[in-house]
Amino acid sequence: MEKYKHEYGAEQIQVLEGLEAVRKRPGMYIGSTSVRGLHHMVYEIVDNGVDEALAGYCTEINVIIEKGNIISVKDNGRGIPVEIHPKTKISTAETVYTVLHAGGKFGGDSGYKVSGGLHGVGASVVNALSSWTEVTIARDGGLFNMKFEKGKTVQKLERIGDSDKTGTLVRFLADDTIFESLDYEYEVLEKRLREIAFLTKGLKITLEDQREETPKKAEFCYEGGLISFVEYLNRNKEKIHPKPIYIERAGEVPVEIAIQYTTSYTENIYTFVNNINTIEGGTHLEGFKRALTKVFNDYARSHNILKEKDNNLQGEDIREGITAVVSVKVKEPQFEGQTKTKLGNSEVTGVVQSMVNEALSTFLEENPQIAKAILEKCVSASRAREAARKARELVRKKSNLETSTLPGKLADCSSKIADECEVYIVEGDSAGGSAKQGRDRKFQAILPLWGKMLNVEKARADKIYGNDKLNPVIVAVGAGIGADFDITKIRYGKVIIMADADVDGAHIRTLLLTFFFRYMRPLIENGNVYLAQPPLYKLSKKGMEDIYCYTDEDLDKAYKDLQEKGIARDTLSLQRYKGLGEMNPEQLWETTMNPETRILVKVTMEDAIKADEIFSLLMGDEVEPRREFIQKNAKYVKNLDI
Ligand code: 28F
């Protein structure tokens, strides 16, 4: 890849503005000051090491979360240049860390790199938003070191010794007066670092969490790149062909794609632009989908799999069961959409489309066995889609009167203004009864769930419509499912899952989340799905108002608080709620349903993806990973009926 067109002259660094602006409006530079922005700080520094790897000079990056939430990132690249920068008259390294937009990420022909992250503004922003930063560089036979506080240089770059190695080590403590919290989540970093390793073939990335007594560690290095990525995503699924299909093209817009079909019914296409996950898709995804549809239809026609009288296969038929990763590199990416994760560059559609057209049709011609297996699946998907359409029409015909179709057990609310209405989906009749009595019937509806659990993993849309557990949910929400789902038709602004805090509750929650994720995804993306949080404990004492605790920490804190008020532990009576059914209607209202006092947790796409993964594991086809999972989690899942 032609990333480094010429040796870098330090004078190319653009000197734009001071770091004061960054501290004044951190959100503009790092996205947010929530824990999400905090993790972005790490990615910004790691990205610089990754760029060194993409340039061909770095093979390993080590990330450590040290005690006290100090982040340490080290690479074995060339080391940031240490000589005096002709424009700023200070070292290049100090310039990179103190001058906003240094590093040439902005400005198209800076020659240094294709623009990075969502907020790819780099090291100086991280420096500005840190209580302190320390940079150590091994280069030119020497070891150099500089220090900053809140972006200001407190120790200029100085030579502290000799070194026969090269590389860069950065340690920083994010500023707790800027970020809401400094609690890095190991799993979040782990997931992103693994992703970067997949996307950067051969790069070794290690992660270590030293905050606990026994440190957590992980190491990622994938010689297979995207192929390994797809194999990883499909690790618990049954594959239709053993090896992922891999296609690659260099050029102005380098494209790399890996594809593998599974026997599942879902579509999993992940797209990246310059290693950034474009969750909202965009022009690269568009080009990929168009080519996929054309190539498979052309092949099916020319090999007589589709006869003259047959309709073309639709895109969704061809994408059923697909797992694919599409990675493109774009010099000046335009990001659009709500979360700025949608690629807008129109020229990319054609580039991806023509390269997939060419490479994939060649692959199919050369691998007729695989082509046949995939197309068989597409054809049966197309038949199932037809069957689902007929089933839907039947349902529609039967339902002339809008209200008569509402599920019998639904206790609807009186308001018809979706925005103010909520539906509680409750497992079990006794909890359903309490909820019905306890609710505010003006805006709260209750849907008790009963009937046989459906294995969403193994069911297609036509079966889902007929399922007695899920059908009431579909009808109550009122907006259809799958490609028909129309968010403007939802009957409730909040869809709230209220389940017990036990294994069965977890099961029903996972099932519903998986169902929403797969069949009503916009409902989750739009933030309409919530989890009710019933209390785990009640502390009571004569003459004292009851105290409800939602977690074990809550309970500890309540005991301590009461102790300070002179109320001893052994004078309190503790009730542990085993299920929602144990609460009377008033208690349920007060603790879990009253908008003034309840806790609702909004379900994010990440939550839903996690539920989907757990579900695939528990319900999917591959026996081995399921057995492993159950053995590992035996004490949690022993009651599960699978
Ligand atoms: C732990 C984080 O930041 N690694 C980096 C390099 C290497 C070069 C460089 C970085 C020069 C003009 C900016 C070296 N030799 N890891 C890192 N490794 N930056 S950051 O150059 C910075 C540019 O403007 C480097 C020759 N060219 C580039």
Side-chain angles (χ1 to χ4, degrees):
M1 221 177 290
E2 265 194 312
K3 283 238 170 105
Y4 286 73
K5 282 204 181 116
H6 28 240
E7 265 309 301
Y8 226 88
E11 66 278 3
Q12 266 167 296
I13 292 178
Q14 301 169 11
V15 178
L16 289 175
E17 49 179 312
L19 295 187
E20 275 312 306
V22 180
R23 291 185 61 84
K24 276 209 187 92
R25 309 175 107 186
M28 279 195 36
Y29 296 87
I30 200 82
S32 82
T33 53
S34 67
V35 66
R36 194 183 177 127
L38 181 74
H39 289 89
H40 257 293
M41 298 274 280
V42 183
Y43 307 151
E44 286 296 343
I45 300 301
V46 170
D47 267 356
N48 291 334
V50 173
D51 287 333
E52 230 354 52
L54 288 173
Y57 298 100
C58 158
T59 58
E60 184 166 341
I61 298 175
N62 314 104
V63 180
I64 302 172
I65 316 168
E66 298 180 9
K67 283 205 164 71
N69 285 315
I70 294 160
I71 293 292
S72 156
V73 186
K74 186 173 89 176
D75 74 38
N76 65 350
R78 289 168 294 180
I80 310 178
V82 294
E83 79 286 348
I84 297 293
H85 185 287
K87 274 220 181 100
T88 60
K89 315 284 187 225
I90 56 177
S91 68
T92 302
E94 186 181 345
T95 308
V96 167
Y97 270 80
T98 53
V99 179
L100 194 56
H101 298 182
K105 282 190 185 182
F106 287 73
D109 60 351
S110 59
Y112 180 52
K113 60 184 289 192
V114 289
S115 166
L118 284 174
H119 320 284
V121 279
S124 61
V125 168
V126 174
N127 189 19
L129 301 179
S130 294
S131 297
W132 58 261
T133 309
E134 178 184 31
V135 181
T136 308
I137 296 162
R139 195 182 155 100
D140 302 337
L143 198 62
F144 305 83
N145 177 267
M146 58 184 176
K147 290 178 184 160
F148 308 90
E149 282 171 18
K150 299 182 179 177
K152 296 219 166 79
T153 310
V154 295
Q155 182 210 298
K156 292 182 81 66
L157 191 73
E158 63 186 38
R159 186 171 171 138
I160 54 170
D162 300 335
S163 176
D164 53 2
K165 299 203 182 73
T166 64
T168 305
L169 165 67
V170 178
R171 290 174 70 244
F172 66 89
L173 175 64
D175 191 333
D176 64 359
T177 64
I178 288 189
F179 291 95
E180 286 162 24
S181 130
L182 295 192
D183 294 326
Y184 295 94
E185 271 185 56
Y186 178 82
E187 283 73 24
V188 171
L189 293 179
E190 180 186 31
K191 180 162 184 267
R192 175 63 185 149
L193 294 178
R194 177 188 289 120
E195 196 169 274
I196 293 173
F198 280 130
L199 291 163
T200 320
K201 200 185 305 191
L203 173 63
K204 176 166 153 186
I205 303 182
T206 65
L207 171 64
E208 189 175 333
D209 188 345
Q210 299 178 337
R211 293 172 298 182
E212 304 276 311
E213 279 311 306
T214 41
K216 285 190 210 131
K217 274 186 191 180
E219 180 179 321
F220 310 110
C221 181
Y222 304 101
E223 292 304 332
L226 293 197
I227 297 176
S228 310
F229 201 164
V230 165
E231 283 171 343
Y232 173 80
L233 293 168
N234 281 347
R235 66 197 179 284
N236 302 321
K237 298 188 171 162
E238 190 188 329
K239 292 84 167 161
I240 289 204
H241 49 106
K243 279 214 302 277
I245 303 167
Y246 177 73
I247 54 185
E248 179 183 20
R249 204 192 81 157
E252 245 316 272
V253 181
V255 185
E256 219 191 322
I257 297 174
I259 306 165
Q260 188 179 38
Y261 280 85
T262 71
T263 57
S264 84
Y265 300 124
T266 46
E267 170 185 332
N268 280 313
I269 306 179
Y270 296 90
T271 60
F272 295 86
V273 175
N274 305 341
N275 285 0
I276 311 303
N277 191 345
T278 32
I279 297 162
E280 297 171 284
T283 51
H284 50 338
L285 178 60
E286 205 44 51
F288 176 66
K289 284 183 177 177
R290 280 188 207 169
L292 208 62
T293 307
K294 178 168 164 48
V295 169
F296 277 107
N297 270 303
D298 285 356
Y299 186 92
R301 292 269 171 221
S302 63
H303 292 74
N304 219 21
I305 296 169
L306 281 182
K307 310 284 186 308
E308 225 167 300
K309 63 171 173 48
D310 291 332
N311 286 331
N312 262 1
L313 297 166
Q314 296 201 353
E316 57 184 287
D317 303 332
I318 292 168
R319 295 191 299 273
E320 187 186 278
I322 197 175
T323 300
V325 179
V326 176
S327 170
V328 300
K329 298 278 177 0
V330 180
K331 288 245 163 62
E332 281 183 84
Q334 276 137 31
F335 291 108
E336 302 170 347
Q338 277 203 331
T339 55
K340 291 270 176 281
T341 57
K342 181 176 182 184
L343 183 66
N345 304 53
S346 56
E347 72 279 9
V348 177
T349 308
V351 172
V352 176
Q353 195 177 344
S354 67
M355 102 73 136
V356 176
N357 269 339
E358 213 178 288
L360 190 59
S361 48
T362 308
F363 177 89
L364 295 184
E365 290 301 341
E366 287 170 0
N367 297 275
Q369 231 78 7
I370 296 178
K372 186 163 164 269
I374 296 173
L375 273 161
E376 262 170 23
K377 163 127 177 115
C378 300
V379 168
S380 76
S382 147
R383 295 214 181 101
R385 180 170 47 76
E386 269 303 297
R389 192 181 56 76
K390 285 186 185 137
R392 220 158 38 228
E393 269 171 15
L394 267 178
V395 174
R396 274 191 202 135
K397 271 187 201 142
K398 274 194 266 171
S399 60
N400 296 328
L401 284 171
E402 215 186 297
T403 45
S404 74
T405 67
L406 287 175
K409 292 221 177 188
L410 174 74
D412 210 0
C413 52
S414 56
S415 166
K416 294 288 170 243
I417 305 163
D419 266 355
E420 67 176 31
C421 293
E422 327 178 322
V423 60
Y424 278 84
I425 303 178
V426 191
E427 166 77 342
D429 274 335
S430 71
S434 290
K436 274 183 200 174
Q437 290 173 44
R439 69 180 172 146
D440 181 336
R441 60 182 65 234
K442 181 169 182 306
F443 68 98
Q444 291 179 319
I446 309 296
L447 179 63
L449 279 192
W450 75 105
K452 196 164 110 7
M453 183 89 72
L454 179 76
N455 187 342
V456 190
E457 177 75 12
K458 290 191 170 148
R460 271 194 174 118
D462 50 335
K463 290 271 180 353
I464 301 234
Y465 270 112
N467 177 260
D468 55 2
K469 193 154 213 158
L470 294 175
N471 195 47
V473 178
I474 301 169
V475 182
V477 173
I481 57 170
D484 291 338
F485 184 80
D486 180 356
I487 189 108
T488 64
K489 293 221 174 85
I490 53 173
R491 301 179 61 251
Y492 309 96
K494 290 196 175 76
V495 175
I496 304 166
I497 302 171
M498 184 155 73
D500 288 339
D502 63 3
V503 175
D504 289 339
H507 199 188
I508 188 79
R509 202 164 36 240
T510 307
L511 172 92
L512 283 169
L513 285 181
T514 303
F515 170 67
F516 288 138
F517 175 68
R518 296 195 185 177
Y519 292 96
M520 299 189 184
R521 195 168 296 183
L523 199 65
I524 296 176
E525 288 168 339
N526 200 41
N528 298 100
V529 182
Y530 294 83
L531 302 177
Q533 302 290 300
L536 291 179
Y537 304 101
K538 181 173 85 173
L539 275 180
S540 49
K541 185 186 162 84
K542 223 177 166 160
M544 179 188 88
E545 207 172 307
D546 293 345
I547 297 173
Y548 295 99
C549 302
Y550 294 84
T551 60
D552 288 316
E553 290 82 60
D554 274 1
L555 182 66
D556 284 344
K557 190 169 174 303
Y559 273 134
K560 277 207 195 95
D561 289 352
L562 290 172
Q563 192 100 49
E564 274 165 27
K565 289 187 214 146
I567 302 173
R569 210 184 170 104
D570 54 17
T571 66
L572 293 156
S573 80
L574 174 70
Q575 182 181 0
R576 181 178 161 70
Y577 290 115
K578 284 188 216 72
L580 293 160
E582 291 177 10
M583 266 181 271
N584 64 36
E586 291 72 39
Q587 289 172 331
L588 196 57
W589 163 257
E590 207 41 52
T591 60
T592 317
M593 298 177 71
N594 179 358
E596 306 279 312
T597 50
R598 72 185 175 190
I599 303 173
L600 280 189
V601 176
K602 190 185 274 190
V603 173
T604 64
M605 275 300 280
E606 281 86 40
D607 298 332
I609 291 169
K610 205 172 264 173
D612 189 72
E613 274 175 13
I614 294 173
F615 202 83
S616 295
L617 211 60
L618 291 177
M619 298 298 205
D621 299 295
E622 297 278 301
V623 178
E624 198 44 42
R626 177 167 66 227
R627 227 210 357 243
E628 256 174 45
F629 180 86
I630 293 172
Q631 277 167 359
K632 262 200 228 155
N633 298 278
K635 69 176 185 292
Y636 304 109
V637 293
K638 66 169 184 287
N639 298 325
L640 265 183
D641 175 28
I642 45 176

